[in-house]
Amino acid sequence: MMLGICFLSAKTYSQQVSYEGRNVLLEDVLKEFSRQTGYYLFYKHNEVKGFKVDHIETNKTNLEQAMQLLLNGLPFNFNLEEQTIIVNRVQQTDSQPEFDLTAVSQQQIAGVVRGEKGEALAGATVAIKGTSTGTMTDIDGEFEIPAKIGQTLVVSLIGYRPQEITVGDTKVLTIALAEEISDLDEVVVVGYGTQKKVNLTGAVSQISGEDFEQRPVTQLTQALQGASPNLNVTFGSGRPGTSGSVNVRGTTSINGGGPLILIDGILGTLDRVNVNDVESVTVLKDASAAAVYGARGAFGVILVTTKSAKEGKTSIAYTTNVGYTTHAVNTDFITSGYWNAKINDEAMYNALGYGTTRYSDEDYEELWARVNDKTEHPDRPWVVVKQNESGQDMYRYYGNFDWFNYFYDNKRPKQEHNVTISGGNDKTRYSLTGATSKEQGIFNINPDKYGRYNLRAKVESDLKEWLTVSNNTHFFKSKYDWHGLGTNFNTVENNVSNDPIYQYHPAYVPRNPDGTLTGYTGINSYPIGYGMHNALESGTMKGYNNGTEMTNTTEARLKLMEGLTLTANYSYREYRSEYSYRHTPQYYSKFPGVLERSNLGALSLDRLP
């Protein structure tokens, strides 16, 4: 097999090519494109050899478009990769006719391409469908191309709809192209009104509610992650129902600050909005937002527009989202009591001159005997009774316990349900949407649970040709119930996870053989895991945090004259929160048959906060 490869010096070349030729070898044209652009050329000589191009004309055409014109109708495709033109032969199938290498005589077709207003369109591509023949219009929009009767001319230009014309007896054509409707005509909500994208001068991003439909999320801040450049959403906790922290364009000030959030024109919170209700989210990022919203918009503005009522037959839609969440970290932690104790003791001894666990050599022998026991062996129990220095029986712990999977559930279920009822006629439109979501927290023992409920009702009526009234009511309720300490997550982050003194050593276990909870080892003064398992296992330490919000906007729009509308509205918003937490005293045992009341902070209290 012979490969034809053209390597040229790639100094400073343009990626545009200009070339005109008739009945020329394809291989020669490829080499010319390579010479003009500085691109390397890669193809199989025996595949390209003998192929001719009837006619090609390019004038400062970008390389990709020129290659499309060149190979149009030929059994080849191409790729432009890393400054290289790669040409490959397309495999023939039985249904495809063999390509005719002989040139076919054509009649000359002339014409002009114009826009909707009659202006000449320069640079439009005119090609014969199914062949390699093509050309481009000149500055006056005129072109010439050889074609046969019955063939189809394809005329295209960026920003215009392509058009196909069948060649007939007429040899002079006038072709009009219609403009392609682009996203520059989309309406964007900005400040107190709307603008077309083409007229925008500020830094504005708009996200359509349709972009959220395929995202398995129940919170709007989750849906906005990665949806807009320079809109940063972070979550500082894995607790269900936790709202994301929203920031526009990085650092704000030394005193902090965040964007102004308006929901249908009312100050609000993103995660109290049902994701299914969102029509669009507009982010105003630069200082121009302050021109409308003053100092409050100095750190950006986020405008949420909910879906409006639309006329039509009454329709009912139901969507659901059911799944589960998992850990985002590797859980293959050390569960060997021997090695965990050894590493911590050595580190503390080197740093402070004493060990953490205060295990003796005899204790380490017991741990070493169980070092390979993944589960408790009857002959080598993880909790044994030994006498202390005072001759009193006391529990000693020599386990290989997996505290991570004891505490945390690897799969936490979550679900969301949405119902929408909408309809109306040319005078009155209405919509009613309802949503509920439930999510289970991370704990295995008495897991925390979060629930959210949304209800939104919209109605709009044209009382007169010049008067439209509407009402938008939204109700939100959230409920979070949990067991354990009042600050479960802060305790895990600040004490259990980061401080080696309070870590749950695999040598320790949550319960003694008689079923009592563990609390202290008796050989050191450190609480086992800062009492987290005591608070969770008891089931008596628990709390709730509920929130309720009601918003309502009543609006009247008066059309005073063409182009002048007066809008008057009244908005009401109320949010109430309820919090309660119950402290109960917790008991543990380090001596068989003896219960002791914990003296550790919250574990010793018996009260409501």
Side-chain angles (χ1 to χ4, degrees), residues 247-253 256-261 284-302:
N247 168 272
V248 176
R249 286 193 166 179
T251 303
T252 52
S253 76
L260 174 65
I261 297 172
L284 311 182
K285 303 176 184 179
D286 60 7
S288 63
V292 177
Y293 300 102
R296 190 64 182 86
F299 304 127
V301 181
I302 298 177

Side-chain angles (χ1 to χ4, degrees), residues 281-354:
V281 178
T282 302
V283 184
L284 311 182
K285 303 176 184 179
D286 60 7
S288 63
V292 177
Y293 300 102
R296 190 64 182 86
F299 304 127
V301 181
I302 298 177
L303 306 175
V304 179
T305 304
T306 59
K307 296 175 181 177
S308 301
K310 294 180 174 62
E311 64 180 82
K313 293 183 178 179
T314 299
S315 63
I316 302 175
Y318 169 77
T319 61
T320 186
N321 175 15
V322 180
Y324 60 87
T325 57
T326 61
H327 302 321
V329 298
N330 183 3
T331 58
D332 189 18
F333 301 130
I334 294 177
T335 57
S336 167
Y338 175 86
W339 288 113
N340 188 275
K342 196 72 173 176
I343 291 170
N344 278 278
D345 277 350
E346 290 290 340
M348 289 292 288
Y349 186 82
N350 291 332
L352 302 176
Y354 60 86

Side-chain angles (χ1 to χ4, degrees), residues 71 228 336 543 605:
L71 300 179
S228 173
S336 167
L605 302 177

Side-chain angles (χ1 to χ4, degrees), residues 215-227 231-247 269-272 275 328 414 439 450 452 489 493:
R215 294 195 174 194
V217 295
T218 56
Q219 295 175 247
L220 186 53
T221 50
Q222 293 174 337
L224 288 174
Q225 280 190 305
L231 177 62
N232 310 306
V233 182
T234 57
F235 289 84
S237 170
R239 189 182 73 183
T242 299
S243 294
S245 175
V246 182
N247 168 272
T269 303
L270 290 175
D271 283 336
R272 294 176 194 162
V275 179
K414 59 186 297 186
E439 187 173 354
Y450 175 79
R452 193 195 73 219
F489 291 91
E493 179 181 358

Side-chain angles (χ1 to χ4, degrees), residues 314-317 419-423 430-434 456 458:
T314 299
S315 63
I316 302 175
V419 176
T420 302
I421 303 173
S422 63
Y430 66 88
S431 69
L432 179 66
T433 62
R456 184 179 295 275
K458 279 190 172 185

Side-chain angles (χ1 to χ4, degrees), residues 309-539:
K310 294 180 174 62
E311 64 180 82
K313 293 183 178 179
T314 299
S315 63
I316 302 175
Y318 169 77
T319 61
T320 186
N321 175 15
V322 180
Y324 60 87
T325 57
T326 61
H327 302 321
V329 298
N330 183 3
T331 58
D332 189 18
F333 301 130
I334 294 177
T335 57
S336 167
Y338 175 86
W339 288 113
N340 188 275
K342 196 72 173 176
I343 291 170
N344 278 278
D345 277 350
E346 290 290 340
M348 289 292 288
Y349 186 82
N350 291 332
L352 302 176
Y354 60 86
T356 304
T357 65
R358 303 298 175 89
Y359 276 140
S360 64
D361 291 340
E362 180 184 347
D363 293 325
Y364 271 111
E365 289 178 4
E366 294 278 9
L367 287 168
W368 180 253
R370 298 162 173 79
V371 70
N372 294 319
D373 293 345
K374 298 296 183 182
T375 57
E376 193 170 8
H377 193 280
D379 297 334
R380 296 181 294 276
W382 288 355
V383 184
V384 300
V385 178
K386 288 187 176 183
Q387 289 188 340
N388 60 15
E389 294 176 353
S390 302
Q392 186 179 9
D393 287 345
M394 186 175 70
Y395 292 120
R396 289 292 183 94
Y397 304 105
Y398 306 121
N400 295 309
F401 194 74
D402 186 351
W403 283 101
F404 189 94
N405 288 306
Y406 163 79
F407 268 122
Y408 306 129
D409 191 353
N410 185 41
K411 293 182 179 180
R412 287 89 65 186
K414 59 186 297 186
Q415 56 179 298
E416 181 185 37
H417 305 275
N418 292 278
V419 176
T420 302
I421 303 173
S422 63
N425 52 37
D426 59 341
K427 296 293 184 181
T428 303
R429 284 82 57 193
Y430 66 88
S431 69
L432 179 66
T433 62
T436 178
S437 67
K438 295 180 180 180
E439 187 173 354
Q440 181 174 303
I442 195 172
F443 290 109
N444 250 329
I445 311 155
N446 289 318
D448 46 327
K449 296 180 179 179
Y450 175 79
R452 193 195 73 219
Y453 309 90
N454 291 84
L455 182 66
R456 184 179 295 275
K458 279 190 172 185
V459 62
E460 185 179 65
S461 181
D462 300 326
L463 301 183
K464 299 288 184 179
E465 289 186 1
W466 50 270
L467 176 62
T468 300
V469 295
S470 62
N471 194 78
N472 179 5
T473 302
H474 177 244
F475 174 78
F476 164 84
K477 183 175 180 60
S478 65
K479 183 175 178 60
Y480 178 64
D481 299 294
W482 82 94
H483 288 78
L485 298 173
T487 54
N488 276 345
F489 291 91
N490 288 338
T491 300
V492 171
E493 179 181 358
N494 298 328
N495 295 326
V496 178
S497 298
N498 295 338
D499 196 325
I501 294 176
Y502 300 127
Q503 276 189 340
Y504 278 100
H505 292 289
Y508 307 151
V509 296
R511 290 186 181 273
N512 295 309
D514 60 358
T516 57
L517 290 169
T518 59
Y520 288 84
T521 64
I523 62 174
N524 60 49
S525 60
Y526 309 133
I528 297 177
Y530 211 70
M532 276 285 296
H533 70 290
N534 302 78
L536 287 168
E537 286 277 14
S538 69

